[in-house]
Amino acid sequence: MGIVEEDIARVRAATDLVEVAGEHIQTRRVGRRWVGLCPFHAEKTASFSINAEEGLYYCFGCQAKGDAITFLREVEHLEFAEAVERLASRAGIQLRYDDAREGQDRKRRSRLIDAMEAAVEWYHQCLLTSDGAASARGYLRSRGYDGDVVRRFKLGWAPDDWDAFSRALRLPTDVLSQAGLGFVNRRGRHQDAFRARVMFPIYDTAGAPVAFGGRILPGGDGPKYKNSQETAIYAKRRTLYALNWAKVDVVTAGEVIVCEGYTDVIGCFQAGLPRAVATCGTALADEHFRTLKNFTRRIVLAYDADAAGQAAAERFYEWEQRYEVDVAVAPLAPGTDPGDLARSDPGALLAAVKEAKPLLAFRLERVLAGAELRTPEGRARGAQAAMSVVSEHPDVLVRDQYLMQVADRCRVEPDRLRAALSSTSRRGRPWQQLVDPRRQSDRGGPELEALRLAVHKGDEVVHRLHEVLFADELHLAAFRAVASSATLREAIDAADPGAAELLQRLAVEEAHADPDDVLNLIVHRAGERALHQLEAEVRASEERGPELSRAVGWLKLTLERLPDPEAASALVAWLAQWGHNRG
Ligand SMILES: [Zn+2]
């Protein structure tokens, strides 16, 4: 049953987050905020901040964020409704429930989870006891899986029969198909989704079973792995196998090991690395990073991350920036996977994870290892190949660090490589998109300062700002949400996840800057950006030259008149019109 929205709002309003948090961590007041050691990740200096007035928290270490309800849910592992109920009883609020959609969704979800739980247990018992599972047990033993492993990971066996599961559990048709456990066949009978496969149950982060991965025995028919279809409780792009078991060690050890397969994960656990996870039949995606960064900042890939090539590497660099994580690669010998290595040489697996290198270092090492560095020609070719790998990285300082290594190894003057690097970058390499000034400008500059003010002094600031002043897409999205909402909470609810996170963070930061200074600066920056673009267009277009030159002249004069308020509002109006004309 769902709790009436209005009552949830009452509970939020009546709850003092500082007080609730204070029951779990020590907090102290710093300026207008409260800070303390984060309960969601291990730390020695306080990065957990609370904005008491808004009832919001944000951790600068692990990006945990939310309100009193989220806090209680995460810290005590409660369902949403349970957390609201607890806070309501603290505040003496009588909750009302309705049977509307939310209640039905929860009911449907719990029916599917119940079915999955029954399925996990049934398949598990089949593996442990059924005669038909003898070959599966033999196969697992040959992989080094003893009874402890089978029980720890709740491995199962789907019998070689088309409806053994359906007949045994007799689930209602809708539950059977909605959980992805079976379907109605052409003869109108229930049929199992899995047949003759070793079953790896997949759980969500909280530990509820949501899907299966089924592995065929060696020599069997069909694809090696078959995964559950996506369901109301299972989204591949968001799910990481074994994160439910790994999360404690991930937080303690400060890193997560990402493998390609379920058996690799189990191998890592057996080798003494109980912080491994795997994607479920998909490549690593944005959502996986969004999940992982809640637990750790260091992501170690335990598979050949180089094989996917440049495009994949660039995506990883982008994720590193966006989610503020470090991606490292464990140097496994080509052709070995963690699952095999865990059995043949667990020490080598531990060492590989320990020696994991940043992705760029790993890629660079590959290139240089394949180069002939004993001859001058070979060193020149090696330098060229190495620099093309270095140039993929979006951060100029990082590029320069690696450039020095290449210079050293290939005996080339660093300045020569720098010159070559900047000329290739002007020809427009894909990574340029990442450092496009329109997207990357002012990450911590006036745009962010203006947003911070908009969050803390909305009435005073928001009406003086305008969308055209934000060059960064994320800042723009956050501003739009603030400008179109009556309260900060509404803005956070309305914003997409990235912008919502930014707003939550800004809400626990302090806005010290003088609004006039910030507004002046952000208008000036926007004017200058437009000026540079116009000047480039003047150079590029002969026929529209005179017209554009007049605009350039006006812009220059107006910029000089700043911070005159009239000039500022004329400039903003012009920018809005200009942006509008350019579509
Ligand atoms: Zn934290």
Side-chain angles (χ1 to χ4, degrees), residues 78-370:
L78 303 176
E79 290 281 318
F80 180 83
E82 290 172 323
V84 176
E85 283 158 1
R86 290 265 296 274
L87 294 174
S89 80
R90 281 174 67 108
I93 290 172
Q94 185 77 45
L95 292 174
R96 291 163 297 166
Y97 295 81
D98 61 25
D99 274 319
R101 237 202 63 194
E102 192 194 323
Q104 284 184 1
D105 281 354
R106 276 190 68 203
K107 216 159 112 190
R108 175 156 155 251
R109 188 185 148 83
S110 73
R111 278 178 88 201
L112 298 185
I113 300 267
D114 288 348
M116 288 300 304
E117 268 169 1
V120 168
E121 196 51 44
W122 189 80
Y123 285 127
H124 185 55
Q125 289 308 322
C126 280
L127 177 64
L128 292 179
T129 58
S130 82
D131 294 339
S135 54
R137 289 193 291 268
Y139 161 73
L140 291 172
R141 265 196 304 277
S142 77
R143 302 254 348 172
Y145 293 6
D146 56 17
D148 284 347
V149 173
V150 166
R151 276 184 286 273
R152 180 173 194 183
F153 295 93
K154 276 281 181 188
L155 301 185
W157 170 248
D160 190 3
D161 188 342
W162 59 275
D163 68 348
F165 170 78
S166 299
R167 271 187 289 118
L169 268 83
R170 299 185 173 282
L171 295 171
T173 305
D174 60 331
V175 172
L176 184 76
S177 63
Q178 283 170 19
L181 291 166
F183 54 95
V184 177
N185 67 18
R186 264 178 254 152
R187 286 155 56 205
R189 313 246 316 254
H190 285 181
Q191 187 168 331
D192 302 348
F194 294 93
R195 174 175 187 168
R197 283 174 184 273
V198 174
M199 302 290 274
F200 296 82
I202 298 165
Y203 296 80
D204 66 14
T205 313
V210 293
F212 283 104
R215 192 200 193 286
I216 205 101
L217 292 181
D221 286 335
K224 189 167 160 193
Y225 280 98
K226 176 188 160 119
N227 287 301
S228 292
Q229 70 200 54
E230 299 220 327
T231 64
I233 54 174
Y234 175 51
K236 283 183 185 156
R237 292 173 64 82
R238 277 208 296 275
T239 309
L240 285 155
Y241 174 69
L243 185 55
N244 55 309
W245 295 302
K247 62 185 178 186
V248 175
D249 197 57
V250 167
V251 172
T252 320
E255 70 177 13
V256 64
I257 302 163
V258 179
C259 305
E260 276 189 313
Y262 312 130
T263 53
D264 295 327
V265 168
I266 295 175
C268 284
F269 273 71
Q270 282 183 284
L273 297 166
R275 49 182 179 278
V277 301
T279 55
C280 303
T282 59
L284 267 179
D286 219 67
E287 288 90 334
H288 293 131
F289 273 79
R290 200 171 288 153
T291 304
L292 287 176
K293 65 128 210 246
N294 292 329
F295 296 93
T296 182
R297 305 291 283 276
R298 180 173 160 83
I299 294 169
V300 176
L301 306 177
Y303 58 87
D304 190 347
D306 205 33
Q310 179 190 331
E314 280 163 4
R315 257 203 338 269
F316 280 117
Y317 298 142
E318 200 180 334
W319 285 326
E320 283 188 322
Q321 286 200 322
R322 188 180 314 155
Y323 297 114
E324 294 175 11
V325 294
D326 294 318
V327 176
V329 184
L332 298 166
T336 56
D337 62 54
D340 294 330
L341 199 57
R343 232 169 347 133
S344 62
D345 189 356
L349 180 59
L350 293 175
V353 168
K354 204 170 163 202
E355 287 157 19
K357 292 189 182 70
L359 178 58
L360 179 48
F362 178 80
R363 281 170 66 73
L364 195 58
E365 202 46 56
R366 278 277 173 95
V367 169
L368 290 173

Side-chain angles (χ1 to χ4, degrees), residues 38-41 43 48 59 61-64:
C38 177
F40 305 116
H41 84 281
E43 64 173 6
F48 185 83
C59 170
C62 68
Q63 280 86 43

